[in-house]
Amino acid sequence: MSKKAKTAAKVFISDQKKIQQVVLTMMSKISEIVGSTMGPAGRNVLIESDIPGIPNKNTKDGVTVFNSLGANNSFEHVIIEQARDAAKRTATEAGDGTTTATILSAAMITNLYEYSNNNPSFSPQKLARDMASTVRNKLVPLIREKAIKISLENENLGLLKKVARISANGDDDMAEAVMKAFELLGYGENSHVTIKEVSGPYGYDVSLIEGFPIPIGYEESAGKFNQAFVNDPGNQRITLEKPKFLLFDGHISDLLTINKAFEEIGTRYANGDVDWKNLVIFAHGYSESVLTALAFNFADPATINVVPMVTPKDMFQNAQTHFLHDLAAFTGSRVFGMKDQINKLTAEDLGEGMQNFECYRFRCTIVGDPNPINIEFRAEELTTQKNNPESRAELNWLNDRIGKLTSGIVKLTIFGGSNGELKEAHDRCEDAVCAVRAAISKGALPGGCRTLLDLFLEVEKRTDIPTHVKMVLMPSLLEPIRRILNNAGHTEDSAKEIVTNLISNPGMIYDVENQTYGTAEELGVYDCLPAVEEAIKNAASIATVMGTLGGIVAEPRDHEFERQESQADAEFRRMVENPHAYANEGNERI
C-alpha cells in the first residue's frame, strides 16, 4: 500500500487585523534599529559574528544592520526578508541610501494602512498602485531634473568630495582618501577602489595597482614545485619580460594537451626571436607529472620558460572561465578548451603588447599595453551584465572585473587600532566610494533630505496627484529628516520647528552636526542622485507589496536545522574566499 506525499507543513494567517499587527510591529522595529544609524549623529550597531572565532562587527552601515536581522516567529522573519529587499536593491543600484529606503518603506506602509483603515471602502490595491505610479511617473523625473551633473572640466568637481564626506559621516580624512583614489583613476565611472584593512596607527594610504592584478600566486599554482619557478630569489618572485599567454579552459593532465603552444613559441625562439622565450599558462589545474616536467624545464637556461598558473576561484558559477575571458581581453590571447581546440593554435593566439609578468606567493600582476578595442568590447559585455545582477555580491564582482580592465584599481588602505574600528571604517569608506562613483555617473543633489522636502512640496501643490496618494506620501517623505534630528537629540517640538523652517524656505538645509541653516553650497552637504532616486523607488515598491497583503504562508522555524545550515554556509563562505587572506605584509588583506 502506497501513501501519497503531502505538502510540507506550513504556518499561515489570513486575518487582516493580525497581518497588519505583525507587519506594522516588525516594520517599526526594523525602522528603529536601521534608522538609528542615520545621519552624522547616528549610532553604531554591534552585530554578533556568524562564524566562531571571528570578531563581532561594529557598524553604522544600514544595509549591514538590516542583513543581520532575523526573528524567531516565522511570520516576522518572512516580513524581515521581504522588507530587506528595498534596502538591498538600493545598495545594489546606488551603494548608498539604504537607511533612507528602509525608513521610507516603513513610513509608507504605516500610512497606507492608516488610510485604508480610515477609509475601509477604498481599495488598498488602488491606493498602492496610484502611489507607485506617482513615484515612478512624477517624483522620479523631478529628482532627475534637480540633478547637478559632474563635469571633469569645471569647478563642480569639488562636489564629489562633499558627496564623499556626507557618505563617510563627516570624516574629512576618509573623504580626502576616497577623492585621492578617484583622482588616480581619472574619475572614471568604472573606477574600482579596493578597500583593505591593516592594524596600525589611524590613517589612510592610497596607491595605484598598475596592470592587471590577479589574486593568486605561485605557491597555490605550482604547489610543492613553486620554488623551482622563482627566478628572483632575493625578492622571492617570478619575473618574466615580454611574456606570452596560453589560456586553457580546463585541467591540464598531460603535456601533449598543450604541445602545439610549445611548438609555436619554441620555433620562434629557436629562430633567434628573444621576445618569444617566456610563456605563462593559465588553466584550472595541473597534474603532478605536468608540474614536474615544467619545473625541470624552467631550470634549463637553453629552453623557453614556462610558468603554470591556476585560474582563481570565486563563489560564482563558471567564475574561472569568466576570468580567462577577461584576461584574454587584456592580453590579446585566445581562450582554448572544448569550443576552441588547442591544435588550431597559432602564434598570434598567445597575445601581444605585454611588458612583464610579476608573481609573488599569493598574487601576480600583468603589465602591458592592451588593445583598447578588446578592452572596450569586453567592458561593454560586463556592463550589460551589471544591469541585472543576481545579488550585491555579483554586482561588486562585475565592478571589480570592469575596473581591472578599464580604469585600473586603486588600493585604499585603512589603518586602525582595533578590529571593530577597522570594520566600522570599512563600511563607511565603502559607502563613500559607491556614492562618489554614482555621483560621477548620474550627478549630485542637495543633501540633508532637501530633495525629499522638495518632493513633499511638489506633492502638496500638484493637482494631478490624488488626495489619497498625498495622505500616504507627504508624511512619509518627512520621516527621514525627523529620524536624523531625533538621532541628534532633538525633541519632537524642536524637530518640528526645524522641519517647518525647511519647508517654508525652499533651498535651505539644516546642518545637524553644526546646528546651522544654509544652502547646500554654503554648507557643503550633497548626496549622489542614485541614492535618493533608488531609495524612494524601492521603498514605494516594497510598500506596495507589504501594504496589500491578504495572507502570509511561512515555514515553521527549525532552529537546529537552521543552525546547521548557518554553520555550513559560514564554512562555505570561508572556503570560497581567498585562502591566503593575509599576505606577509603585516595583516594586509589581498
Side-chain angles (χ1 to χ4, degrees), residues 243-247 324-336 346-354 366 369-375 405:
K244 305 301 177 183
F245 292 87
L246 171 62
L247 310 182
L324 288 176
H325 285 282
D326 292 348
L327 189 56
F330 188 85
T331 62
S333 305
R334 183 178 177 184
V335 178
F336 292 93
T346 64
E348 289 70 28
D349 295 326
L350 298 175
E352 60 181 0
M354 297 299 102
I366 302 169
D369 184 21
N371 187 321
I373 296 178
N374 292 343
I375 297 295
L405 287 170

Side-chain angles (χ1 to χ4, degrees), residues 470-502:
K470 292 184 178 184
M471 296 288 285
V472 174
L473 282 181
M474 288 176 63
S476 301
L477 290 169
L478 297 180
E479 193 60 31
I481 183 64
R482 286 176 175 158
R483 182 56 56 86
I484 290 175
L485 294 170
N486 178 264
N487 287 345
H490 286 274
T491 64
E492 186 175 343
D493 289 338
S494 64
K496 184 176 181 180
E497 180 183 350
I498 292 171
V499 172
T500 301
N501 288 337
L502 293 174

Side-chain angles (χ1 to χ4, degrees), residues 574-590:
R574 291 167 66 183
M575 291 292 290
V576 298
E577 288 179 354
N578 186 348
H580 303 291
Y582 291 89
N584 51 5
E585 306 171 16
N587 289 327
E588 180 183 349
R589 292 185 65 85
I590 63 173

